Each structure stands twice: as C-alpha cells, then as structure tokens.
Amino acid sequence: MSKKRIVLFSIAAIFLFNFSIFSQEKELDPEVVNIVKPYTPTISDAFKVKETPSLNDSISTAKKEVKYSIFSVPVASTFTPSKGKATTVEKAKPIKLYDNYATLGFGNYTSVLGEFYSNFEISRTDNAGFFFRHNSSQGDIKDVKLDNKYYDTGLDANYTSRQKDATYRLDAGVEHQIYNWYGLSEDFVTYPENVIAEIDPLQMYFSGYAGGSIAMDDSFFEKASVNIRYLGDAFSSSEFNARLKPEFSFPLENLTFKIDGDIDYLSGSFDRNYTNTSDIKYSYLNAGLAPSIAFVNDDLSVSLGVAGYISLDSENSDTDFSLYPRLNASYRLLDETVIAYAGAEGGLQQNTYYNFKEENPFVSPTLYIAPTKKLYEGFGGIKGKISNSVAYNVRASYGKDENRALFQMNPLKIYNANFEGYEYGNSFNVVYDDVNTLAFFAELKVKVSNTFSLGINGTYANYSTDAQNEAWNLPELKASVFSNFNITEKLYGGASLFYVGERKDLAYDYNPVGTSFAQEVSLDGYVDANINFGYRFTDRLSVFVKGSNLFGDNYEKWMNYPVQGIQGLAGVTYKFDW
C-alpha cells in the first residue's frame, strides 16, 4: 500500500471518529479536504516528561452516560442429544464369610486331623473365639522297633475389644503332646528283643499360657504385650516363663523417637542330669531397653538405635550387662524396582525348654538352659518388584553368636532295667558354643493372578565354631519351592518342595568294659515333596486331599529318626454360622 493511501485512510478514520462525537450535539456543515502532497513523517528527539501535562484541548467534551439494554430473542432448537448407555461391568460374586468351621480328616499310618474354630460377635466392638486342633498318627515307620506314635492336641481362646482409642486382646490356651524316643541306634550294640521290649520311650508334654496386648491410638504409649507360659512333662520337669514388652513412640518434626522395652523372667528345673548325679535348676531375669530414632522420607528410611540388657542368673549369682546394635537403612534406587538396604542387629535371646522341644521334640529332660548373646549380624541386600506380579530379595549377612545352642545326640549308656527310655543313645542334648555365620539368601515371588502364585527361596550358610568341631545339626543349604493355584472356581490346590542339606552329629559308644569313643556322623540331605487339592461343593462344604513326602524317602530329619514314607490324608471341611 502507498504512502498516499495510508495517509488518506488515517485522515478519513479521524474524521469519521470526530464526526460521530459531534453529531450527538449538532449537525456539522460538510467540508472538502484536498490532499496537496504525500505525508512525509519525521521523528523528533525523545525527551523525558518531568511533570504531568495539562490538557488544553478546545474540542474536549464531557462524557455522556451510555445505557445498554439487551433485547433477548428466543431461538428454537431442534437438537436432541442421544442418551448414553453405561458399559456393563461383570460383578464378582461376593465371597460369603462364615464365623465357624469344622475339619475332619483321616489318612494312612492311622493318622487323624481335626480342627474346630468358632467366633462370637458379642457386640459391635467385641469378639470372642476359640480354636481346637488335633493331629495324631500311630507311627508304624518302616524298620523302627520302638513305639513311634505321636499326638498333638491344643485349645486356644481369645477375646478382642476395639474401642475408640485403644484395642485390647486377651489370649489363653492349653496343649498336650505325646512323642516317643524311637531313634534307637544299633550301630555299636545289638539289643536283644527282651531289652527292646522293656524300653518305654514315651514322653508327654503339658503346657498352658495366658496373655494379652493393648494398642493405643494417638498416644506416645503405642502398645504392650504380656505372655505367661507353663510347661511340664512326664519326668516332673517344669518351666515358668513370663515376658512383658512395652513400646513407646514420640513423633518429632521429621523424626520418630522410639523406646522398646523387654522384661523376660524364666525359671525351671529338671529332676536329674544325664548322668543322674544331681538335679538341674535355672532362673534368669533379663531386662532390656532399646531406644532408637527413625527418619523416613520419600526414598530414604533410616533407624539408628542400640539395645542394652541386664541379665541376672539367680542360680549362679551372676549379673551381666551387654549392648547390641540396632541399625537399619533402606534407599529406593529405582522407585519400587530396586531398593537397597543394610544394617546391623543384635540382642539377647533367652533359650527355654519349651522352644527346644518345639524345634526338636526328642530332647531329653536333662538340659542346661542358658541365654544366647546374638552379638551382631551385619547384613545388606537388594529387594524390589520387577513388575506388579514379580518380587525379589537378595541378602548377604555375617554374624556372631556367643553361647549358641546346638542339638547333639546323647551318648549311649549301658542298658539295664533302671534306665529311662531316653538313655539308650536315642535322645538329644543341648551344647553351647560361639558360632560365626556367613549366610546368603535369595528369594523370588511370582503372583500371576488370583489363580496362580509361585515362590522360590534358598539359603546358604557357612559356620565356624570355637569349642565344637562342627555346628551340629545345622545344614549349610536350605531351599524351598511353594505354589498355590486355582484350577477352576471350585477346584484349588497347592504344592511345596523342601530341600535340607547335609548335617553332622556326634555319636558315642559306651561299652560294658568302660571304654568309649566318639565319631562324627553325616546325615544325608533330603527332599520332601507335598501337594494338596480341594474342591468346593458349596460355600459351606468342601473336601480335600493331601499328599506328603511323595518321593517316599524315609529320610532322617534327626540322627536315627527316620520319618514316615508317603503320607496321604483326605477330609472334609464345613463352614457355618450359629
């Protein structure tokens, strides 16, 4: 566009604007504007205005008040939106939960399984329940000459109250167990039939417990638990154990300060030691305090603490004080995919007759009971989720235990009519030693869906001892594979495979002329395969079958103690409401 046209357009626009203003007052006379030359613009020098200028414009007029009104005209619309239709979602059938169930099963080796559970809703906040269980078998293990039946019956009851600011729980129970010291070794001595017939290998355990717990909301006193247990056996052994564990928490700005308490009292006695020279009594009071401070943010979690214990041995008039580390840290390297963690932990572990017989029911009632100092266990590893259905954990650790308890076979004694059923080299004692442990652990868990899950884990441990030649009955390698699956809506099952590596024990021979010798014995590793299936006829009624030790190997879990071969069990479960 030429300069002439630009100037013309500008002048015309100004003229029209002024005309529209003055036309509100009066009509203007027409004028003729003649363009005599093109507009040649120039730029003046810039200067700063130092004061507010005053307007002296002869054409300025007062602003007129302008009023606006809207003239609304309705517009007819013929648009009709189509109605949307929601996509149909298949609803899962709700699972009916019952407060009670009863299970009864029978299998080979004349085995019986019975369970009964019942829950009562006393009020909206209070519940009570009890659980009865029975598991027994008549034994009949191949080539075993002594009675080898077992029997385990228990009854547990609980009461729970969930209040506004606290939750209370009371527990109590009794248990009766029968085992036999059937692991008679004939490697050194051949027992006449009349001697075998006179051996009574029966051992019975009676135990009962009572306890409770309280958990507080919005309080520095978080929770506390107390448990009291009594254990007796057929040889007048007795043990009383009481334990109190309070926990306190004090939240700070970005930190949490915690104090955990531990008070453990143990007292017990055995009528005799293994040489029948005296009785055995023990009494310990252990009091511990473990303060710690924890920091947690999005990726980093750190807990720094220490545990201090005072141990009073009343029978030996001995007092001991010890400190243990309580350090833990974890950091998310790649969100939930890779989490690195490390730490060092320790503590005082009070060994008990009850715990020993739970791990090895063939111990003799002639044990020396003492605590184990777990001085430290340093560890580090990586864990995380490869996907929502795959999780892993890899861990390495090194620790030192002072006075660790190891099971060892009791020596063979000269048999006669006055000997007890556990004095034929067929029971286990407990020996103590300082043990260093280097261990590696790996685990993989896969959960494809609610219809299938699989887990694999394994542990390798290398032990070094101080006084003992070996870490008796501790395997170097342990591994397991386990799976659960739903074949159909009604048919479900599970499978597991366990491997325990070689262990070592020490066997003694005491012959009639008084000479003796001992030798190390290696127990072969074993594989135990198990599978189970269940079928639901209705929400209430289902049947099940279980198979154990499917390879049929009469392996020895403990020296001279072979297990039952292939075991089968079938039963029924019924759920109901009162």
Side-chain angles (χ1 to χ4, degrees), residues 227-231 238-244 263-270 281-287 311-315 349-356 368-372 432:
N227 186 73
I228 301 172
R229 183 183 297 277
Y230 172 81
L231 172 67
S238 65
E239 182 179 78
F240 176 81
N241 185 210
R243 192 169 191 181
L244 172 65
I263 301 175
D264 192 345
Y265 174 74
L266 178 71
S267 177
S269 65
F270 297 101
K281 294 182 179 180
Y282 54 94
S283 178
Y284 294 94
L285 175 60
N286 305 312
S311 181
L312 306 177
D313 182 356
S314 300
E315 291 296 326
Q349 175 184 314
Q350 178 61 66
N351 297 305
T352 65
Y353 184 30
Y354 179 85
N355 291 336
F356 284 148
Y368 288 94
I369 306 297
T372 295
Y432 297 89

Side-chain angles (χ1 to χ4, degrees), residues 265-519:
Y265 174 74
L266 178 71
S267 177
S269 65
F270 297 101
D271 270 5
R272 66 187 72 182
N273 58 20
Y274 194 71
T275 59
N276 298 336
T277 57
S278 64
D279 60 355
I280 300 176
K281 294 182 179 180
Y282 54 94
S283 178
Y284 294 94
L285 175 60
N286 305 312
L289 204 61
S292 64
I293 189 165
F295 170 78
V296 178
N297 66 6
D298 294 338
D299 297 320
L300 179 64
S301 175
V302 178
S303 176
L304 306 176
V306 64
Y309 278 88
I310 296 178
S311 181
L312 306 177
D313 182 356
S314 300
E315 291 296 326
N316 298 309
S317 301
D318 185 28
T319 302
D320 181 70
F321 176 75
S322 51
L323 289 173
Y324 308 92
R326 297 285 177 87
L327 309 173
N328 284 276
S330 66
Y331 184 75
R332 298 185 185 187
L333 297 175
L334 293 174
D335 196 20
E336 295 292 333
T337 305
V338 181
I339 301 175
Y341 63 93
E345 293 186 348
L348 185 68
Q349 175 184 314
Q350 178 61 66
N351 297 305
T352 65
Y353 184 30
Y354 179 85
N355 291 336
F356 284 148
K357 70 92 178 172
E358 286 291 290
E359 185 175 356
N360 183 353
F362 309 113
V363 292
S364 62
T366 59
L367 306 179
Y368 288 94
I369 306 297
T372 295
K373 291 183 179 180
K374 304 181 77 66
L375 298 181
Y376 63 86
E377 182 188 22
F379 60 88
I382 297 176
K383 63 181 179 180
K385 291 184 177 181
I386 301 176
S387 65
N388 289 333
S389 59
V390 181
Y392 69 93
N393 187 10
V394 180
R395 182 177 188 267
S397 64
Y398 181 82
K400 181 178 181 61
D401 296 334
E402 184 178 296
N403 220 35
R404 179 169 180 173
L406 305 170
F407 293 108
Q408 186 185 87
M409 178 65 76
N410 275 318
L412 171 68
K413 299 175 67 173
I414 305 171
Y415 54 83
N416 59 45
N418 297 324
F419 276 14
E420 302 291 352
Y422 58 84
E423 296 180 327
Y424 293 84
N426 57 340
S427 63
F428 291 85
N429 190 21
V430 173
V431 296
Y432 297 89
D433 195 12
D434 296 343
V435 179
N436 296 342
T437 305
L438 175 64
F440 299 94
F441 171 80
E443 182 178 39
L444 181 68
K445 291 183 179 180
V446 180
K447 186 176 181 181
V448 178
S449 64
N450 292 330
T451 61
F452 178 77
S453 64
L454 175 69
I456 304 173
N457 63 56
T459 302
Y460 170 79
N462 180 267
Y463 305 98
S464 61
T465 56
D466 185 18
Q468 302 293 324
N469 294 334
E470 296 286 344
W472 309 116
N473 283 293
L474 293 181
E476 287 190 346
L477 183 62
K478 295 174 67 176
S480 62
V481 180
F482 47 92
S483 175
N484 292 298
F485 45 83
N486 293 318
I487 302 174
T488 65
E489 184 179 352
K490 294 182 177 293
L491 183 61
Y492 60 93
S496 61
L497 187 71
F498 301 95
Y499 173 76
V500 177
E502 183 181 277
R503 291 91 62 220
K504 291 188 177 182
D505 205 334
L506 197 61
Y508 294 88
D509 176 26
Y510 282 76
N511 56 44
V513 298
T515 59
S516 64
F517 65 92
Q519 66 178 23

Side-chain angles (χ1 to χ4, degrees), residues 88-241:
T88 303
V89 179
E90 185 178 352
K91 296 182 180 180
K93 185 178 179 180
I95 300 175
K96 171 64 177 176
L97 301 178
Y98 295 93
D99 290 334
N100 316 278
Y101 80 87
T103 295
L104 183 62
F106 300 92
N108 60 338
Y109 296 100
T110 321
S111 58
V112 179
L113 172 67
E115 293 181 356
F116 183 79
Y117 174 79
S118 185
N119 180 71
F120 302 93
E121 185 175 347
I122 300 173
S123 67
R124 186 176 60 87
T125 59
D126 294 10
N127 287 77
F130 69 87
F131 177 54
F132 171 81
R133 67 191 186 280
H134 171 83
N135 188 17
S136 64
S137 174
Q138 296 304 309
D140 301 325
I141 300 175
K142 183 181 178 181
D143 298 329
V144 172
K145 296 181 179 180
L146 298 179
D147 190 2
N148 51 91
K149 66 183 178 183
Y150 71 87
Y151 172 103
D152 187 357
T153 300
L155 177 63
D156 301 281
N158 64 79
Y159 179 87
T160 304
S161 178
R162 300 174 180 86
Q163 300 301 318
K164 180 179 180 181
D165 298 323
T167 299
Y168 309 89
R169 180 181 175 91
L170 299 176
D171 297 275
V174 293
E175 187 176 26
H176 179 212
Q177 297 172 306
I178 291 178
Y179 292 95
N180 284 273
W181 289 292
Y182 65 85
L184 193 64
S185 174
E186 297 188 73
D187 293 337
F188 305 114
V189 178
T190 300
Y191 296 93
E193 291 297 328
N194 63 323
V195 173
I196 294 177
E198 293 176 356
I199 299 176
D200 181 9
L202 180 65
Q203 169 66 304
M204 291 188 293
Y205 298 105
F206 310 91
S207 65
Y209 72 92
S213 64
I214 178 174
M216 305 293 293
D217 296 331
D218 300 327
S219 172
F220 67 89
F221 173 62
E222 274 198 340
K223 59 183 177 179
S225 63
V226 61
N227 186 73
I228 301 172
R229 183 183 297 277
Y230 172 81
L231 172 67
D233 65 12
F235 293 85
S236 301
S237 307
S238 65
E239 182 179 78
F240 176 81
N241 185 210

Side-chain angles (χ1 to χ4, degrees), residues 14-44:
I14 294 172
F15 173 78
L16 290 175
F17 176 74
N18 291 329
F19 175 77
S20 64
I21 294 176
F22 285 102
S23 64
Q24 297 180 36
E25 298 290 336
K26 62 180 180 178
E27 294 293 330
L28 300 178
D29 295 332
E31 295 182 9
V32 178
V33 179
N34 296 320
I35 304 300
V36 296
K37 69 174 181 177
Y39 174 67
T40 304
T42 59
I43 299 176
S44 303

